Amino acid sequence: MSKRKKSPARTKDKAFKIVAFCLTIFALSILAVLLIDIFSRGMSRINWSFFTNLPSRHAERSGILTALAGMLSLLFFTIIIALPIGIAAGVYLQEYSVKNRFAKFVEINIANLAGVPSVIYGILGLQLFVRLAGFGNSLIAGALTLALLILPIIIVATREAIRAVPNSLREASYGMGATKWQTTKRVVLPSALGGILTGIILSISRAVGETAPLLVIGALVYVPFIPEGPRDQFTTLPIQVFNWVSRPQPGFVLNAAAGIIVLLLITFLLNGIAIYIRNKWYKRIKY
Amino acid sequence: MRTKEKMIEWVMMACSFITVLTTIGIILVLAIDTVKFFQEVSIVEFFTDTQWTPLFADKHFGILPLLSGTLLTTTIAILFAVPLGLTIAIYLNEYATSKFTSMVKPILEILAAIPTVVYGFFALQFVTPFLQTFIPDLRGFNALSPGLVMGVMIIPYITSFSEDALRAVPGSLREASYGMGATKFQTAFKVMIPAASSGIIISVILAISRALGETMIVAIAAGQEPNLTFNPKESVETITTYIVQVSMGDVPQDSLEYRTIFAAGMTLFLFTFILNNISFWMRRRFQNKYE
């Protein structure tokens, strides 16, 4: 009797196990298909001149020099703006602020900002930096926009890293007569550095792939020059890819695939570094 | 010494206040031009007109086609990602060895790290032609393939958050279920999922919010035709795509056409803002249930 009753449940269990395993493999294979598809299309286009050529009307002569240069300059400015502000805000919220209504409000607000679609940040940047501040469609307007976009990520990562620093360290520092800031600067921040760094790299990797907000603030899709200063116009690699994807000629599809390979390698490299730092730091620091 | 300490504290506080200013900035920027927009276009027309043609000679300002495009692609993404992501989460949590889980989870998370312009390319150049071999009348630009690809993108959100929620369920519940002679399947669906339901719902809400705001996949692969349709084979335009499309054109500033992106942006912002707040509220409310 009991054996008969059990049996269908066991079959169901077995069946689900097999189906679920297949679905897991299916999800993984989508990633594989995506990578294989893009690499098999674009690899032939990757050569030295692809990196050193300016964009061109002719697909086979087009390169990503200006897109790469624009992207690197943009990231440079984004980081020097977002980093100090993000870390300072994270330190303040975790180490200093008393748990009052205001702190709670700021916390909810940051969680909300992290969920605001990036295209909305584009609208904000367009009105605030491009028009009101008069920066035009410049690198600096793009960098400020992206900085606001990645700020929540840096703040959350900083707070989490600081939270992991054990209180005994702080108390030891206070016991030696150190002030709050001295303790923060010399004890808490160095111990939290690994986590903060991981968050920063992940936020850079996020900024690398952003396209929509930059299109909204008016980043150009065709830039035949390398930006020389923060007030110059610019383009980035994802925008260059977007431009190529939207063209019907097959030559540009190849270019887009090749540009995507470069973009993916940069993204994976950054994520890899972040994972490496996280693992290394967790192994090294044992309290 | 004291004053220096105080000053540092004030500077850091000011930095954290920038996040509040950002939110205020977003709301003000959207609201000011949205109000100006509604001074020229009636709010009734905005929500009832079935055409969205602000850039044509014959102007119509009905947000419904953009909304239907947005909801259609989002629905496809969610219908694809939730069952798949949840099944994977259950498999990783209940069935798979911890070694397999620790290998699969980071690989799945790569899906969330891929720039969306890459997904757009994949949807347009690979998924659409692939689907057309089964669905011959599928248009070159359609809602189905970007919707599915968007689903792929949000799988890791659902899997990761749901897996965390399942993991947070105390082991004693699972053991009690096994003790009653239940199978893993019964334990997963009758004990673990109900127990982790709030976390799972939060993951779904976040995924919906992410899909609503996604831009590049739909901008590349869905076409840019505002169609009031729920047919996934048709091409559609989403709110986000429209914003990008107008920004890239030569629409004069301070014109009515220009203000449409603020009205559209406000609509999108309100949707995601409400969803994010629901998920935040749920997290607050249910997080400590088992602690």
Side-chain angles (χ1 to χ4, degrees):
Chain A
M1 177 71 191
S2 75
K3 211 175 179 184
R4 224 187 220 174
K5 239 184 175 176
K6 253 182 188 171
S7 169
R10 297 266 171 241
T11 323
K12 223 180 188 179
D13 191 42
K14 265 253 148 50
F16 179 78
K17 184 179 175 178
I18 294 165
V19 169
F21 176 75
C22 290
L23 287 180
T24 308
I25 299 300
F26 170 66
L28 294 177
S29 58
I30 296 174
L31 178 64
V33 168
L34 182 143
L35 293 178
I36 292 167
D37 178 58
I38 284 167
F39 274 79
S40 65
R41 280 175 207 255
M43 250 351 230
S44 63
R45 256 314 260 124
I46 294 205
N47 50 37
W48 189 241
S49 63
F50 185 67
F51 289 95
T52 55
N53 279 8
L54 301 174
S56 155
R57 281 187 297 119
H58 304 283
E60 62 284 1
R61 264 190 257 147
S62 269
I64 54 172
L65 180 65
T66 51
L68 272 183
M71 191 163 91
L72 290 178
S73 341
L74 183 71
L75 288 179
F76 172 76
F77 288 117
T78 305
I79 291 164
I80 59 170
I81 296 164
L83 212 57
I85 298 175
I87 294 178
V91 170
Y92 178 79
L93 292 173
Q94 194 61 32
E95 289 289 296
Y96 284 81
S97 82
V98 267
K99 294 279 159 249
N100 55 17
R101 264 222 184 116
F102 176 73
K104 217 178 236 174
F105 172 69
V106 173
E107 196 169 317
I108 297 174
N109 183 54
I110 290 174
N112 253 320
L113 278 181
V116 172
S118 62
V119 74
I120 302 276
Y121 279 95
I123 296 181
L124 176 71
L126 175 69
Q127 287 299 76
L128 219 55
F129 305 128
V130 176
R131 302 194 59 200
L132 217 61
F135 291 137
N137 338 335
S138 62
L139 266 177
I140 192 68
L144 285 164
T145 307
L146 282 192
L148 290 184
L149 179 72
I150 63 171
L151 211 51
I153 309 176
I154 299 180
I155 294 176
V156 169
T158 305
R159 290 190 67 172
E160 261 166 31
I162 290 177
R163 196 176 298 143
V165 177
N167 250 332
S168 53
L169 285 186
R170 292 185 188 88
E171 277 150 20
S173 172
Y174 290 139
M176 302 285 284
T179 61
K180 182 139 194 176
W181 173 241
Q182 284 169 335
T183 304
T184 306
K185 192 172 79 174
R186 295 186 194 152
V187 177
V188 177
L189 278 179
S191 317
L193 194 64
I196 297 176
L197 224 56
T198 311
I200 290 164
I201 295 167
L202 288 179
S203 71
I204 298 173
S205 142
R206 170 87 195 274
V208 164
E210 277 303 340
T211 324
L214 297 176
L215 287 174
V216 174
I217 65 152
L220 302 183
V221 288
Y222 177 78
V223 181
F225 54 84
I226 291 176
E228 279 162 356
R231 301 297 295 260
D232 283 356
Q233 295 185 307
F234 69 102
T235 192
T236 71
L237 192 49
I239 292 175
Q240 181 73 70
V241 168
F242 174 61
N243 176 243
W244 280 334
V245 175
S246 340
R247 298 197 193 190
Q249 303 95 319
F252 286 109
V253 175
L254 284 192
N255 282 3
I260 285 174
I261 294 174
V262 178
L263 185 61
L264 280 180
L265 290 179
I266 296 172
T267 309
F268 290 164
L269 185 71
L270 286 170
N271 279 277
I273 294 172
I275 292 169
Y276 175 77
I277 293 176
R278 186 160 52 194
N279 291 343
K280 197 165 169 178
W281 211 265
Y282 281 145
K283 270 188 204 125
R284 219 186 77 194
I285 295 198
K286 288 243 162 65
Y287 297 106
Chain B
M1 201 64 209
R2 273 246 85 104
T3 39
K4 189 190 156 204
E5 294 259 325
K6 263 282 166 249
M7 262 173 61
I8 291 171
E9 193 177 331
W10 277 99
V11 169
M12 291 198 296
M13 192 171 119
C15 286
S16 65
F17 202 67
I18 288 182
T19 59
V20 179
L21 290 181
T22 307
T23 308
I24 297 173
I26 290 174
I27 295 173
L28 273 184
V29 159
L30 290 176
I32 290 172
D33 278 79
T34 304
V35 168
K36 284 187 195 161
F37 174 79
F38 282 123
Q39 280 165 357
E40 293 177 64
V41 175
S42 85
I43 204 157
V44 177
E45 183 192 350
F46 187 68
F47 284 110
T48 54
D49 197 325
T50 56
Q51 284 185 63
W52 179 259
T53 54
L55 306 177
F56 296 170
D58 176 29
K59 291 187 196 318
H60 285 273
F61 299 96
I63 192 84
L64 288 178
L66 294 186
L67 268 184
S68 77
T70 306
L71 295 180
L72 180 59
T73 49
T74 300
T75 308
I76 294 168
I78 293 299
L79 286 181
F80 181 69
V82 168
L84 194 58
L86 201 51
T87 309
I88 294 172
I90 294 167
Y91 181 76
L92 294 181
N93 203 271
E94 300 293 311
Y95 291 87
T97 59
S98 60
K99 205 177 158 195
F100 185 79
T101 304
S102 65
M103 240 166 53
V104 168
K105 229 178 154 183
I107 299 178
L108 280 179
E109 271 157 18
I110 294 177
L111 288 175
I114 291 177
T116 51
V117 70
V118 178
Y119 279 121
F121 178 91
F122 185 61
L124 179 70
Q125 295 288 338
F126 183 86
V127 178
T128 298
F130 178 72
L131 291 175
Q132 276 169 334
T133 58
F134 306 100
I135 314 166
D137 58 337
L138 186 71
R139 311 242 326 239
F141 292 112
N142 59 72
L144 181 61
S145 106
L148 289 176
V149 171
M150 210 145 81
V152 172
M153 179 190 80
I154 57 180
I155 285 175
Y157 289 79
I158 293 177
T159 304
S160 264
F161 282 116
S162 300
E163 221 250 329
D164 290 344
L166 287 168
R167 196 180 294 247
V169 176
S172 53
L173 277 182
R174 183 188 286 119
E175 280 150 24
S177 171
Y178 287 156
M180 302 286 283
T183 62
K184 281 185 174 176
F185 181 79
Q186 288 163 334
T187 308
F189 281 86
K190 301 227 167 96
V191 179
M192 302 301 283
I193 290 182
S197 58
S198 62
I200 292 169
I201 294 169
I202 289 171
S203 81
V204 175
I205 295 174
L206 286 179
I208 295 174
S209 166
R210 187 81 183 71
L212 285 176
E214 169 41 40
T215 314
M216 296 319 292
I217 302 177
V218 278
I220 292 172
Q224 301 189 341
E225 292 175 54
N227 270 335
L228 181 56
T229 175
F230 283 99
N231 180 356
K233 290 186 276 191
E234 292 287 317
S235 70
V236 295
E237 179 160 51
T238 66
I239 296 176
T240 53
T241 312
Y242 174 75
I243 294 171
V244 166
Q245 187 197 358
V246 170
S247 317
M248 287 178 68
D250 307 311
V251 173
Q253 289 174 351
D254 281 323
S255 62
L256 182 59
E257 294 93 318
Y258 182 76
R259 291 205 180 100
T260 53
I261 67 171
F262 295 88
M266 191 64 155
T267 314
L268 175 68
F269 179 75
L270 285 179
F271 265 100
T272 53
F273 186 80
I274 290 167
L275 286 175
N276 291 335
N277 275 296
I278 293 174
S279 83
F280 195 83
W281 174 81
M282 283 189 70
R283 203 174 309 171
R284 275 271 155 104
R285 179 101 165 61
F286 296 108
Q287 200 171 38
N288 302 324
K289 217 160 80 179
Y290 292 112
E291 282 167 11

